Amino acid sequence: LEKRVTIAEVARAAGVSKTTVSVVLNGGADALGIRPETQSQVLDAATSLGYTPNYAARMLRRGRTGTLTMLVQALANPFFVDMAVAARGAAEARGYELVVVDAGPLDAEVRALEHLRGGRTDGVVVATGRHHSRRPAVERLIELVDHGMPAVVLIDKSPDDRVPAIRPDVYGGSLEAMRHLVGLGHRRIAHIAMQGAEELESAPSSQGDRYRAYVDALTEAGIELDRRWLVRGPDTSAGGRGAMHDLLGVRPRPTAVFVYNDLTAIGVLRACAEAGVRVPDEVAVVSFDGIELGGFMTPALTTVENPGVDMGRRAIQTLFDLMAGQPPSEIDRVLPARLLVRESCGARAATAAGTTGR
Amino acid sequence: LEKRVTIAEVARAAGVSKTTVSVVLNGGADALGIRPETQSQVLDAATSLGYTPNYAARMLRRGRTGTLTMLVQALANPFFVDMAVAARGAAEARGYELVVVDAGPLDAEVRALEHLRGGRTDGVVVATGRHHSRRPAVERLIELVDHGMPAVVLIDKSPDDRVPAIRPDVYGGSLEAMRHLVGLGHRRIAHIAMQGAEELESAPSSQGDRYRAYVDALTEAGIELDRRWLVRGPDTSAGGRGAMHDLLGVRPRPTAVFVYNDLTAIGVLRACAEAGVRVPDEVAVVSFDGIELGGFMTPALTTVENPGVDMGRRAIQTLFDLMAGQPPSEIDRVLPARLLVRESCGARAATAAGTTGR
DNA sequence: CTGAAAGCGCTTACAG
DNA sequence: CTGAAAGCGCTTACAG
């Protein structure tokens, strides 16, 4: 870029030294007792020259960047967008910028974390989940933490004692959802889980929590699990559509399905519509996340509210605590996740109710 | 952060000078004829010490950041997410990082643009639209361009000769959509437009283009515009729901509606469901953008495909051309936007068709 | 084939 | 009350 104005030019224009300019512009003038007239000379010169401090120079000198970084699983899911927007607001309120990175596939997440080693951020929030099956990413995160980088993990448990985790009570929320279906009289309840290599039974992840709640609720109700009720697919609308398409072929047909997340459930609704299967009359649907869009489906999705906005804000707060040298008050903070009953579960009238639910 | 490894330590460990380390690590070693053994010594030392170049120092010295910035209207709209992800891919393919900023309200956009003055990016893509009614943002952009910042505008026309624009043919696509509705026999066609201060008739924006196509198509068909058919609201699902709710009170009721974008149309579908109005039988719906989600609604949205992914990629390509000193081949590139007929317009069966359309 | 030195633009002890 | 100087970590002419 052309002819940037430097502090030296401001100093010359104001007839003072670079030191004075720097002090005045950084607000330390009164403390150091710089004469008001000198201050205005500097301010005037800076304004008329259109001076803006050079980011790289300041960053190099201060050893801080004024930037935080958040890695999210997928911006294609509005749940993560809402979380990121909330986090950005919290960061900006304290004068920090938040760079949001769509981590995408594993190698992209690894690359993104490696990228952060060069000192381009003051702290990192990792909201990508699925860490048990993503060892290389976790290793990179630990590497950063070893070098003193403040870090917070969202969604899943923390992989390291120095990294506080803030996560929803996925097990509790899922159990509430399942008990709701059981309470409505359902006995053949299917589960659409996220695709992945791991064994759901033992997975120390939020998808494992969903599965365990699913199994426990069936057991509690004295229902024997039919393996055909368990389908896995990508956590996208297309994935949900495909999974539900398969599930609709099972006989006797499940009368209810607990779906990984809302985005996936939107595909489930579509698959039912295409097959002429009425929701919730023939199949009840309950999912997870509570994205706004779910309330605009017909029937509106009954879902477990995932506190993404709250997690985003808390993550930034915790990051600032860590940067200030304060140990985190809690290493594993679990936030409640409650069932939001709308229409797709059949507990309410499915249409013409005028109730979007939120 | 603690004890970062610097180039000086690598030099000491390898028994060479900082110059040699820098040259080897930046790939200029062979050209300068540095001995292979020296090269491996340096590489080994760098690896075993875990050296990563300091971003700020490199940025300051090189005068480049290796980072591009994209401002988008709202990440809450998947259209912009898809565009941003495509742009990021194009940037990363050339070794650049792309920082995506949700510009949000006007003051946030202004702040974001001012923020870029300190040399923290090598180029900027502005995909926020509505520039005619956002003067302060445009002024900040021009300021950056005055200082030599490469910039590209998406969605709307360019505010400046030095800034190439890449935009969809909104007028053409909208006209095709409207003619489609007219062709299906509709005479009472409503339009849900985006909220904003501007007069739609004269607005030099994509929302103006939609409106003009709407009016021209009615005129062409010899239909007299009823002002009650024109409703404006926020470009969100909630906004669409509210707007359609109002529209359903108009008598005689419109039999079709051309909606600002898909996200808004999702709210329109919901309003119809709540009122017990069948789509497309009682009201046909056509919108704009072609987000994947629209294909999962029931009925699947008929819409005009907005080439967001293509625009995102081209924007980055054009930015690289500008950075390389090449004048843009075209200052105002208009990309085709074609109607995608699915179910909500009534040209096809609304359900059980098994056709998601994309 | 390799090294000493300057300098990118800032901030901050240190002098006076 | 204000200025001269050092230094953050790198890259790149320039010497030899």
Side-chain angles (χ1 to χ4, degrees), chain A residues 219-243:
Chain A
T219 304
E220 183 179 82
I223 300 169
E224 199 179 343
L225 173 62
D226 184 333
R227 296 305 296 184
R228 297 173 306 159
W229 296 345
L230 188 64
V231 185
R232 303 182 67 162
D235 59 332
T236 59
S237 298
R241 178 170 173 265

Side-chain angles (χ1 to χ4, degrees), chain B residues 203-278:
Chain B
S205 65
S206 72
Q207 65 181 306
D209 284 337
R210 285 171 175 81
Y211 178 76
R212 284 184 290 276
Y214 169 70
V215 170
D216 290 354
L218 292 182
T219 304
E220 184 179 80
I223 300 168
E224 200 179 344
L225 174 61
D226 184 332
R227 297 304 297 185
R228 297 174 306 161
W229 296 345
L230 188 64
V231 185
R232 303 181 68 162
D235 58 333
T236 60
S237 298
R241 178 170 173 265
M244 193 63 194
H245 180 80
D246 293 347
L247 212 46
L248 288 173
V250 173
R251 291 290 177 280
R253 196 144 75 189
T255 63
V257 53
F258 172 45
V259 185
Y260 185 77
N261 69 17
D262 290 347
L263 209 57
T264 309
I266 288 175
V268 166
L269 293 183
R270 175 69 196 178
C272 291
E274 288 172 1
V277 171
R278 282 169 297 127

Side-chain angles (χ1 to χ4, degrees), chain A residues 197-220:
Chain A
E198 57 174 349
E199 288 299 316
L200 287 174
E201 289 79 358
S202 56
S205 64
S206 71
Q207 65 181 307
D209 284 338
R210 285 170 175 81
Y211 177 76
R212 284 184 289 275
Y214 168 70
V215 170
D216 290 354
L218 292 183
T219 304
E220 183 179 82

Side-chain angles (χ1 to χ4, degrees), chain A residues 7 22 51 54 58 61:
Chain A
I7 209 170
S22 178
Y51 172 74
N54 179 280
R58 185 171 264 188
R61 177 62 231 229

Side-chain angles (χ1 to χ4, degrees), chain B residues 319-342:
Chain B
L319 222 41
F320 280 113
D321 289 349
L322 290 172
M323 290 191 287
Q326 294 174 34
S329 54
E330 253 177 317
I331 190 67
D332 188 41
R333 170 76 172 182
V334 179
L335 302 174
R338 294 267 167 61
L339 184 66
L340 173 62
V341 176
R342 289 193 290 212

